[in-house]
Amino acid sequence: ETGVTQSPTHLIKTRGQQVTLRCSSQSGHNTVSWYQQALGQGPQFIFQYYREEENGRGNFPPRFSGLQFPNYSSELNVNALELDDSALYLCASRVGYTGELFFGEGSRLTVL
Amino acid sequence: RKEVEQDPGPFNVPEGATVAFNCTYSNSASQSFFWYRQDCRKEPKLLMSVYSSGNEDGRFTAQLNRASQYISLLIRDSKLSDSATYLCVVPNSGYALNFGKGTSLLVTP
């Protein structure tokens, strides 16, 4: 148990819909990152939040957006879902910028 | 060149065998490196960190060759429980982690 919890664990959406994934970070961790892991691939960095501000973003389009709340929990929102968005979405938290990352078990999204 | 490239898998080895995975990276300025382990349909978990020439933890040894820009992971006396995907990870600009595609290991009785 890493102390990072994600919800929902599985969900199915159709193309064009919107989805919100949620993450509760480990106690005391003020940095949250989101990663996308397609089948057979390594996780790809989406973005990172530190103290409620986005401070880093990977090569993902603007329809991927996020929030971090004062209690350091976080949301990932994806608009206008595409088939290629089907993946495992991993949330990870840590203290500051360079501490060890602890991953949640992920939210598995299927887009039909 | 991809930022992080790993040996193509899968590796099938018998219990007790020694197996090594290699990983190359493109960013010569990288200072720290990691190996993560990911079990089927689970989240990645940190296995080892490598900050200098290498690191050893029991049956696991990670080595770093900065001149050639590669990292290796050696597993001695393989156990059935070592079966997993091993991900080579190189931080990017200090906050994002660049993951390789992973190398699948299957240890058989």
Side-chain angles (χ1 to χ4, degrees):
Chain A
E1 287 270 338
T2 63
V4 180
T5 57
Q6 293 186 241
S7 63
T9 55
H10 296 80
L11 68 166
I12 300 173
K13 293 284 189 178
T14 56
R15 272 188 307 174
Q17 285 189 311
Q18 179 265 343
V19 68
T20 297
L21 307 178
R22 295 179 174 83
C23 172
S24 176
S25 60
Q26 187 175 114
S27 177
H29 287 189
N30 53 15
T31 302
V32 174
S33 306
W34 286 89
Y35 287 78
Q36 179 197 65
Q37 186 173 24
L39 197 62
Q41 304 293 317
Q44 298 294 309
F45 175 70
I46 304 175
F47 44 57
Q48 175 172 284
Y49 281 83
Y50 173 68
R51 294 185 174 179
E52 303 177 60
E53 298 271 338
E54 182 182 303
N55 72 342
R57 189 176 184 93
N59 189 26
F60 281 80
R63 59 190 185 82
F64 285 78
S65 63
L67 283 173
Q68 186 182 29
F69 300 100
N71 65 355
Y72 302 135
S73 65
S74 178
E75 283 183 358
L76 164 65
N77 299 291
V78 187
N79 293 323
L81 284 167
E82 301 176 0
L83 297 180
D84 284 349
D85 295 333
S86 295
L88 179 68
Y89 289 84
L90 294 160
C91 171
S93 72
R94 63 179 166 190
V95 176
Y97 289 178
T98 58
E100 179 182 345
L101 266 182
F102 293 86
F103 284 88
E105 292 192 2
S107 293
R108 192 168 298 278
L109 171 66
T110 301
V111 182
L112 302 176
Chain B
R1 181 179 182 182
K2 290 187 178 178
E3 295 194 48
V4 182
E5 293 195 73
Q6 293 188 238
D7 276 346
F11 283 64
N12 292 343
V13 303
E15 270 186 293
T18 295
V19 62
F21 307 137
N22 288 327
C23 167
T24 57
Y25 60 94
S26 61
N27 184 0
S28 60
S30 297
Q31 296 296 310
S32 56
F33 309 87
F34 307 96
W35 284 99
Y36 275 71
R37 170 193 168 127
Q38 186 172 28
D39 293 301
C40 186
R41 303 181 76 82
K42 304 288 278 183
E43 76 276 20
K45 293 183 179 176
L46 181 64
L47 178 66
M48 296 187 75
S49 305
V50 187
Y51 296 106
S52 57
S53 61
N55 191 11
E56 185 171 329
D57 182 6
R59 299 182 293 109
F60 297 84
T61 301
Q63 291 193 313
L64 168 63
N65 183 318
R66 289 188 188 274
S68 301
Q69 293 181 215
Y70 83 76
I71 317 135
S72 64
L73 177 68
L74 183 76
I75 305 175
R76 292 180 296 276
D77 188 22
S78 298
K79 311 290 185 191
L80 296 177
S81 57
D82 294 334
S83 297
T85 295
Y86 292 84
L87 298 159
C88 176
V89 183
V90 181
N92 177 16
S93 304
Y95 52 78
L97 297 184
N98 284 324
F99 285 80
K101 290 177 67 171
T103 302
S104 177
L105 172 66
L106 178 63
V107 181
T108 56

